[in-house]
Amino acid sequence: MSSYESLVTLLICVFSLLFLQVLNIRWIWNLVFLMMIGIPLAQVSAAETVTIDLAVNKGVARNVGTGFLGDISSVNPPASVVDPLKPKMFRGNVQNCFDTDSRSRALGATCQVMLSWGRWWRAPFPGDGGDWTEWLNFVGTTVQTAKNRGLKLHWDIWNEPDSTNYWNPAVGGFNTTAGRDQFHETWTRTVRKIRSIDPNAIIVGPSYAFIGNQGTGLNSFLLYARDHYDAAGRNVLPDILAWHEFEGAEALTRNVSTVHQFMTANGIKIPAISINEYMPFAIPTPAILVSYIAAIQRSGVESASHACWPESEIVTNGGNCGNYSLDGVLTNATQLPRSQWWAYKFYADITGTLVDVTRQGRTDAVAGLNSGARVARILVGGDYKSVTPPTSVDVVVKNISAASNLPSGGKVRVVVQRIANFGKNTMSAPQGLINPDTKNYYTDYTVSSGQIIISLAGYDSNSAYTITLSPPGGVSVPEPTPRAPSNLRVTKLSGFFQIL
């Protein structure tokens, strides 16, 4: 190329960039600039796709991912911040579950009673010196009292027996053969005691902290319980198999699948699984919370409960455990919603039937269709630990014709909101993303080939996103509060939301 041709090419590029800048089409400007300087686009934009198939019914939306660890009383937190979340389970000590049984049932939830809570986390432990008398007397009195009162509780025999914090016979805890054998015998005797009083009791366990060490952990427990029996000749397997998940959503999905495979291979039938503690952070980002909820839904577990941890300003007295903050979902002193609360709230708003979600990478979603209400809702987020998070996410909603009363005139209305990560601070409402073309909080998409594509550019890997679909001018969607930071702007370009 001659010097003259090079100069002409340079001038054309410069004037083109100036023209695009005047039009404020920044995303094209950026792409052109990157191509000019020779950077491959794959290196600067890692996009992911999440596909929602409205034609695939995944069962009734039951909100099984919402539960809390012993953090309500008969009046606290107030109904205004508990009821909208539609929790399905609570997990607490004897007194807590007894006091809140009527409130839990009114919410459609059940309380798992941690029988071992408190006194039983120090010596003497059940079976020390071959003596189980004190423990079994306590269990018998507790279960009989609940039966007399007509309480509908589930009995979680021991919390994290695989941790020396809660089970430490001979100091070696669960890590010695003698320690495991003592726990197994305690389990068998306790199941027999409970069933002798209430043959229909629901028993939960073993509530291990981790199940990665399958050989000495959950697998050995399952084989033991399968082969030991109560007075009626039933084995002592729990009615609800429970353990805790703190290693991420990917591990949760994998572990549930592995446990199902082991049980099938060994003739073990347990009708339900409860992840009765999940989340390894005191204040997780909304994105990580969504990743756990999506994994819980996809795994088909019966219930799950958010864990509680120390926070920086309340490292003593149990941290955000038992302070009526819903395990840190609310602020500690004022019980106001944090970002997590809004993710749980939108999750609760997913009603009707769940629909299929297929993910390409770490970005995940929970989605549901309520045909009667003419609305579909999608909650998007992800856990990007150890991977590069995407810079944009395409949400493909296909088979819209399966919701025959959702589109109108070949169009469907889309409202996108962002639940930003406010950390320990309160968040008054999700951030409404404005369509700059119409200055509205919604965009009417034309359905093409039975689908629409909602593209989120400038995707924030710490935030969760909510997407609501309804007929144009049909279902009334509450207008979100525009709380986006001053440097956040959303543009709409041919179905393309861009966060700048």
Side-chain angles (χ1 to χ4, degrees):
M1 182 182 294
S2 68
S3 299
Y4 174 77
E5 290 172 327
S6 299
L7 179 60
V8 170
T9 300
L10 177 61
L11 289 173
I12 291 173
C13 290
V14 169
F15 281 112
S16 297
L17 292 174
L18 290 173
F19 177 70
L20 292 172
Q21 181 68 11
V22 169
L23 292 180
N24 199 29
I25 307 179
R26 289 178 55 187
W27 69 281
I28 300 177
W29 195 99
N30 292 337
L31 294 180
V32 173
F33 176 74
L34 290 167
M35 287 187 289
M36 283 179 59
I37 63 176
I39 296 180
L41 297 183
Q43 294 181 12
V44 297
S45 178
E48 288 188 3
T49 299
V50 177
T51 302
I52 314 300
D53 191 341
L54 297 184
V56 180
N57 186 329
K58 303 295 285 187
V60 176
R62 294 181 48 245
N63 210 39
V64 298
T66 303
F68 300 102
L69 183 57
D71 216 12
I72 67 166
S73 70
S74 58
V75 294
N76 281 311
S80 59
V81 292
V82 176
D83 293 8
L85 305 189
K86 304 176 186 175
K88 287 296 175 285
M89 72 162 286
F90 295 97
R91 186 168 181 257
N93 61 28
V94 172
Q95 193 64 52
N96 175 250
C97 287
F98 276 34
D99 290 347
T100 60
D101 178 67
S102 59
R103 185 179 188 186
S104 296
R105 283 198 275 174
L107 289 165
T110 303
C111 195
Q112 292 184 3
V113 184
M114 289 184 283
L115 287 168
S116 66
W117 190 274
R119 145 72 187 93
W120 302 103
W121 293 341
R122 62 181 185 275
F125 284 83
D128 279 357
D131 186 1
W132 281 270
T133 304
E134 182 186 4
W135 165 252
L136 292 177
N137 285 341
F138 162 75
V139 171
T141 299
T142 301
V143 174
Q144 187 66 59
T145 301
K147 183 178 180 181
N148 293 344
R149 293 186 186 180
L151 306 182
K152 303 297 183 182
L153 304 170
H154 293 174
W155 303 107
D156 184 0
I157 291 176
W158 206 276
N159 178 65
E160 298 187 355
D162 54 336
S163 166
T164 53
N165 291 328
Y166 305 112
W167 182 263
N168 59 8
V171 182
F174 199 77
N175 297 316
T176 65
T177 300
R180 284 194 302 278
D181 288 349
Q182 186 172 328
F183 171 71
H184 288 163
E185 182 65 22
T186 297
W187 174 272
T188 297
R189 290 173 181 254
T190 306
V191 171
R192 290 171 178 168
K193 186 68 173 181
I194 293 171
R195 289 178 179 169
S196 71
I197 298 168
D198 183 1
N200 298 315
I202 302 298
I203 295 174
V204 179
S207 299
Y208 287 172
F210 300 98
I211 65 166
N213 188 0
Q214 295 286 329
T216 58
L218 189 62
N219 288 0
S220 63
F221 167 82
L222 289 169
L223 294 174
Y224 173 90
R226 181 196 64 183
D227 298 335
H228 288 74
Y229 302 91
D230 63 15
R234 295 184 295 173
N235 63 37
V236 295
L237 286 166
D239 301 286
I240 300 175
L241 181 64
W243 70 85
H244 302 168
E245 285 286 351
F246 302 128
E247 298 175 278
E250 302 293 323
L252 187 155
T253 303
R254 183 173 58 251
N255 288 339
V256 172
S257 176
T258 299
V259 169
H260 275 302
Q261 291 172 21
F262 179 83
M263 290 196 295
T264 299
N266 289 278
I268 296 171
K269 297 181 180 179
I270 299 177
I273 289 176
S274 177
I275 306 301
N276 56 7
E277 287 189 36
Y278 70 89
M279 188 60 68
F281 308 110
I283 309 175
T285 67
I288 289 176
L289 177 59
V290 172
S291 75
Y292 266 101
I293 291 173
I296 288 165
Q297 286 288 170
R298 182 174 290 109
S299 299
V301 302
E302 188 263 352
S303 61
S305 172
H306 195 291
C308 58
W309 301 96
E311 292 186 24
S312 57
E313 68 273 25
I314 48 170
V315 293
T316 58
N317 301 320
N320 59 31
C321 301
N323 65 345
Y324 306 131
S325 69
L326 298 180
D327 308 324
V329 172
L330 305 172
T331 55
N332 296 308
T334 55
Q335 297 176 341
L336 294 174
R338 288 171 167 165
S339 301
Q340 290 183 72
W341 188 92
W342 290 101
Y344 274 126
K345 169 65 169 61
F346 191 86
Y347 175 48
D349 290 340
I350 297 175
T351 57
T353 59
L354 295 174
V355 295
D356 188 62
V357 175
T358 303
R359 56 185 183 143
Q360 178 194 53
R362 289 290 186 88
T363 306
D364 212 339
V366 180
L369 171 65
N370 189 324
S371 296
R374 303 181 71 186
V375 64
R377 292 186 173 92
I378 306 164
L379 179 61
V380 180
D383 182 356
Y384 306 101
K385 180 179 68 176
S386 74
V387 301
T388 302
T391 56
S392 65
V393 171
D394 286 349
V395 180
V396 179
V397 185
K398 70 178 187 178
N399 286 321
I400 292 179
S401 58
S404 57
N405 60 355
L406 187 61
S408 178
K411 293 182 179 293
V412 64
R413 178 157 295 179
V414 177
V415 174
V416 180
Q417 296 171 275
R418 176 188 175 199
I419 303 174
N421 180 30
F422 277 47
K424 66 181 180 180
N425 299 313
T426 186
M427 181 180 184
S428 61
Q431 300 168 344
L433 304 188
I434 303 172
N435 182 337
D437 297 338
T438 62
K439 309 304 180 185
N440 292 322
Y441 291 98
Y442 61 84
T443 300
D444 291 340
Y445 279 67
T446 298
V447 179
S448 177
S449 301
Q451 70 178 34
I452 62 172
I453 301 176
I454 305 158
S455 297
L456 300 171
Y459 180 81
D460 177 16
S461 61
N462 290 316
S463 297
Y465 292 84
T466 73
I467 301 173
T468 303
L469 281 64
S470 64
V475 174
S476 175
V477 178
E479 184 174 284
T481 301
R483 285 182 49 82
S486 58
N487 65 341
L488 180 68
R489 189 163 58 84
V490 180
T491 63
K492 166 73 167 51
L493 298 169
S494 301
F496 195 90
F497 282 100
Q498 186 182 23
I499 305 171
L500 302 173

Short mmCIF file of all heavy atoms in Angstrom, two decimals, residues 40 49 112 138 187 195 242 260 278 359 392 421 428:
data_model
loop_
_atom_site.label_atom_id
_atom_site.label_comp_id
_atom_site.label_asym_id
_atom_site.label_seq_id
_atom_site.Cartn_x
_atom_site.Cartn_y
_atom_site.Cartn_z
N PRO A 40 -8.10 -9.08 18.96
CA PRO A 40 -9.20 -9.98 18.63
C PRO A 40 -10.37 -9.77 19.58
O PRO A 40 -10.18 -9.64 20.79
CB PRO A 40 -8.58 -11.38 18.81
CG PRO A 40 -7.11 -11.17 18.73
CD PRO A 40 -6.86 -9.81 19.28
N THR A 49 -24.53 -17.44 27.03
CA THR A 49 -25.94 -17.52 26.67
C THR A 49 -26.68 -18.39 27.66
O THR A 49 -26.21 -19.47 28.05
CB THR A 49 -26.11 -18.10 25.26
OG1 THR A 49 -25.46 -17.24 24.32
CG2 THR A 49 -27.58 -18.21 24.89
N GLN A 112 -37.17 -27.51 61.00
CA GLN A 112 -36.34 -28.64 61.36
C GLN A 112 -35.71 -28.37 62.72
O GLN A 112 -34.97 -27.41 62.89
CB GLN A 112 -35.23 -28.86 60.31
CG GLN A 112 -35.72 -29.32 58.96
CD GLN A 112 -34.57 -29.61 57.99
OE1 GLN A 112 -33.40 -29.52 58.36
NE2 GLN A 112 -34.90 -29.94 56.75
N PHE A 138 -33.93 -36.67 77.22
CA PHE A 138 -34.19 -35.36 76.62
C PHE A 138 -34.97 -35.50 75.32
O PHE A 138 -35.96 -34.80 75.09
CB PHE A 138 -32.87 -34.63 76.39
CG PHE A 138 -32.96 -33.48 75.42
CD1 PHE A 138 -33.54 -32.28 75.79
CD2 PHE A 138 -32.47 -33.62 74.11
CE1 PHE A 138 -33.63 -31.22 74.89
CE2 PHE A 138 -32.56 -32.57 73.21
CZ PHE A 138 -33.14 -31.37 73.61
N TRP A 187 -27.26 -42.35 66.65
CA TRP A 187 -28.31 -42.17 65.63
C TRP A 187 -29.38 -43.27 65.74
O TRP A 187 -30.57 -42.98 65.77
CB TRP A 187 -27.68 -42.16 64.23
CG TRP A 187 -28.71 -42.12 63.14
CD1 TRP A 187 -29.33 -43.18 62.55
CD2 TRP A 187 -29.25 -40.95 62.54
NE1 TRP A 187 -30.24 -42.75 61.61
CE2 TRP A 187 -30.20 -41.37 61.58
CE3 TRP A 187 -29.02 -39.58 62.70
CZ2 TRP A 187 -30.92 -40.48 60.79
CZ3 TRP A 187 -29.74 -38.70 61.90
CH2 TRP A 187 -30.68 -39.14 60.97
N ARG A 195 -39.37 -42.79 67.10
CA ARG A 195 -40.45 -43.58 66.49
C ARG A 195 -41.28 -44.33 67.52
O ARG A 195 -42.44 -44.66 67.26
CB ARG A 195 -39.85 -44.55 65.47
CG ARG A 195 -39.33 -43.86 64.21
CD ARG A 195 -38.71 -44.87 63.25
NE ARG A 195 -38.23 -44.24 62.02
CZ ARG A 195 -37.47 -44.85 61.12
NH1 ARG A 195 -37.12 -46.13 61.31
NH2 ARG A 195 -37.06 -44.21 60.03
N ALA A 242 -30.04 -35.15 54.68
CA ALA A 242 -29.61 -33.75 54.76
C ALA A 242 -28.10 -33.64 54.91
O ALA A 242 -27.46 -34.46 55.58
CB ALA A 242 -30.31 -33.06 55.93
N HIS A 260 -27.37 -39.54 44.73
CA HIS A 260 -28.45 -40.30 44.10
C HIS A 260 -27.90 -41.58 43.44
O HIS A 260 -28.50 -42.66 43.57
CB HIS A 260 -29.16 -39.44 43.06
CG HIS A 260 -30.24 -38.57 43.62
ND1 HIS A 260 -31.30 -39.06 44.32
CD2 HIS A 260 -30.41 -37.21 43.56
CE1 HIS A 260 -32.10 -38.06 44.69
NE2 HIS A 260 -31.56 -36.93 44.24
N TYR A 278 -26.67 -23.80 53.33
CA TYR A 278 -25.85 -23.50 52.15
C TYR A 278 -25.40 -22.05 52.21
O TYR A 278 -26.00 -21.24 52.90
CB TYR A 278 -26.61 -23.78 50.85
CG TYR A 278 -27.75 -22.83 50.52
CD1 TYR A 278 -27.53 -21.65 49.80
CD2 TYR A 278 -29.06 -23.12 50.91
CE1 TYR A 278 -28.58 -20.79 49.49
CE2 TYR A 278 -30.11 -22.27 50.60
CZ TYR A 278 -29.86 -21.10 49.89
OH TYR A 278 -30.91 -20.25 49.58
N ARG A 359 -27.82 -23.57 30.32
CA ARG A 359 -26.76 -22.57 30.41
C ARG A 359 -25.56 -23.00 29.59
O ARG A 359 -25.29 -24.19 29.42
CB ARG A 359 -26.36 -22.35 31.87
CG ARG A 359 -25.94 -23.61 32.59
CD ARG A 359 -25.69 -23.33 34.06
NE ARG A 359 -25.21 -24.54 34.71
CZ ARG A 359 -24.31 -24.57 35.66
NH1 ARG A 359 -23.75 -23.43 36.08
NH2 ARG A 359 -23.93 -25.69 36.21
N SER A 392 -20.90 -9.92 28.70
CA SER A 392 -22.27 -9.76 28.24
C SER A 392 -22.96 -11.11 28.33
O SER A 392 -22.31 -12.16 28.28
CB SER A 392 -22.33 -9.23 26.80
OG SER A 392 -21.78 -10.17 25.89
N ASN A 421 -25.01 -5.25 43.88
CA ASN A 421 -24.43 -5.72 45.14
C ASN A 421 -24.18 -4.53 46.06
O ASN A 421 -23.22 -3.79 45.88
CB ASN A 421 -23.13 -6.47 44.87
CG ASN A 421 -22.48 -6.97 46.15
OD1 ASN A 421 -23.17 -7.27 47.12
ND2 ASN A 421 -21.17 -7.05 46.16
N SER A 428 -33.15 -0.22 48.82
CA SER A 428 -34.58 0.09 48.90
C SER A 428 -35.39 -0.50 47.76
O SER A 428 -36.60 -0.70 47.90
CB SER A 428 -34.79 1.61 48.95
OG SER A 428 -34.28 2.21 47.78
#
